[in-house]
Amino acid sequence: MKIDLTETNSSKINAAMVQARRDIGTPAVGMVFTLVIVTDEENAYDALKSANDASHEHPSRIVVVIKRASRSPRSRRDARLDAEVRVGADAGSGETVVLRLHGELVDHAQSVVLPLLLPDAPVVVWWPDGAPTDLAGDPLGALGQRRITDTYSCENPVGMLGARAGAYAPGDTDLAWTRITPWRSMLAAALDQQALTVVSATVEGEGDNPSCELLAMWLADRLQVPVRRQLSPGPGLTAVRLATKDGDIVLNRADGGLATLCMPGQPDRNVALKRRDTAELLAEELRRLDPDNTYAASLKYGVSQLAAASAAPAPEAPAKAEEAAPAKAEPSKPAAKPAKKAPAK
């Protein structure tokens, strides 16, 4: 069921949702949180479709905020709110409100959204595109316990990672980070299987891909080893190589679907590592509403520190240390001299 409301307000929208639920025979509200989507007309359809797909796992009230740019000075002064209420099959497993803000109301979106939030329920704010640098400082972002963005959609994704690190607040997260969850799980499991010491790492992927940078920063932060970034044709993240004294651990995904895991002393094995769509990424992020401390630590490691560490000749340090150790051991072998005196006796 769809209900169109023109030149309306939050009170009339709430009344329309109650009436719509009664009309379809579901007066009870069984939603667990409110998902606020801040987008534009160009990306609204895809964002709403992904949110509806994710709502089958997380029943929620979806509030879509579309800020309509006004062309003339008069229209910019005139504040108007148009809304579309969707319930039933048109709204996934919850209910949806599409808000179109005109004129001066664009600068006061939080005052329109606040009365539409579910009472005593968490709030998640998602920017599919055009997210502000300071998510928690944004008026709409301040309403949410969890704030989701996608650095991949920015004009300068790698540069934006530095800005996100500077303005990070507990509850911020990024779908570019969510994309590497299977990679992090696979690499952690590989290191758990064998007690190997990693001395350096290499991450291969497309240029200006924030997921590659985040994975490299995660490895550098957790393993405390130099991590080098190498460019590849893609798609996306293609390979990770962990250098150890006993051989390399390689996770290679050349086609974006099936990956090969190579480990020292073990046969190569194929693992499923397909590229996931936005609905799957969003559903994963909605499973947790607490701060992601691992993401925060990796993000704050910094792209500049990663570049400095990869440029330093640190990978050769373990080899030089190994060469120096025998050199010190040889002079300390005068223990062999008493062996020469033994025949003299």
Side-chain angles (χ1 to χ4, degrees), residues 7-294:
E7 296 187 6
T8 184
N9 54 46
S10 300
S11 177
K12 293 179 181 179
I13 295 172
N14 268 319
M17 283 192 290
V18 173
Q19 185 61 43
R21 287 198 301 267
R22 290 175 178 172
D23 291 343
I24 64 174
T26 57
V29 179
M31 291 158 285
V32 295
F33 59 81
T34 304
L35 174 62
V36 180
I37 305 175
V38 187
T39 183
D40 53 19
E41 290 286 2
E42 181 181 358
N43 299 287
Y45 175 81
D46 292 335
L48 188 53
K49 184 179 184 303
S50 299
N52 285 336
D53 292 342
S55 70
H56 294 292
E57 182 177 342
H58 308 280
S60 58
R61 174 177 291 178
I62 302 173
V63 179
V64 184
V65 179
I66 302 175
K67 300 180 180 180
R68 301 291 296 269
S70 302
R71 298 182 179 180
S72 66
R74 167 179 270 180
S75 59
R76 281 195 291 269
R77 288 193 302 267
D78 295 336
R80 191 176 92 243
L81 172 63
D82 298 332
E84 180 181 336
V85 177
R86 304 179 185 181
V87 295
D90 296 317
S93 61
E95 57 191 19
T96 301
V97 181
V98 181
L99 305 175
R100 288 181 172 86
L101 283 62
H102 304 260
E104 294 180 349
L105 197 59
V106 169
D107 299 325
H108 305 280
Q110 72 279 5
S111 64
V112 179
V113 173
L114 187 59
L116 301 177
L117 303 178
L118 290 171
D120 301 324
V123 178
V124 180
V125 185
W126 173 36
W127 292 267
D129 186 85
T133 302
D134 186 1
L135 302 180
D138 183 80
L140 284 173
L143 300 176
Q145 287 77 34
R146 191 80 162 159
R147 295 167 293 275
I148 305 173
T149 185
D150 191 354
T151 309
Y152 191 81
S153 63
C154 298
E155 186 174 352
N156 181 11
V158 178
M160 183 55 71
L161 289 177
R164 291 273 188 268
Y168 174 82
D172 293 355
T173 190
D174 196 330
L175 294 185
W177 171 257
T178 317
R179 289 185 179 94
I180 62 173
T181 299
W183 288 82
R184 294 189 295 116
S185 301
M186 197 66 63
L187 293 171
L191 292 176
D192 285 342
Q193 293 179 24
Q194 294 183 337
L196 300 176
T197 301
V198 179
V199 296
S200 66
T202 303
V203 177
E204 299 179 9
E206 295 175 327
D208 291 331
N209 189 315
S211 297
C212 300
E213 303 294 341
L214 284 170
L215 181 59
M217 290 189 288
W218 174 72
L219 289 171
D221 177 65
R222 303 301 293 180
L223 299 177
Q224 296 297 310
V225 298
V227 180
R228 185 184 303 109
R229 270 282 281 122
Q230 288 187 352
L231 299 182
S232 70
L237 183 60
T238 55
V240 176
R241 304 175 186 275
L242 304 180
T244 72
K245 298 177 182 179
D246 299 320
D248 291 352
I249 299 175
V250 181
L251 184 58
N252 185 23
R253 186 190 67 178
D255 60 355
L258 188 66
T260 303
L261 177 62
C262 307
M263 299 180 62
Q266 295 188 12
D268 297 349
R269 68 190 75 171
N270 293 328
V271 293
L273 209 61
K274 73 180 184 69
R275 304 186 73 190
R276 298 179 293 170
D277 58 23
T278 305
E280 293 180 85
L281 300 174
L282 185 61
E284 178 183 329
E285 282 299 334
L286 294 178
R287 291 183 195 126
R288 58 177 302 169
L289 299 177
D290 57 320
D292 191 340
N293 295 327
T294 305

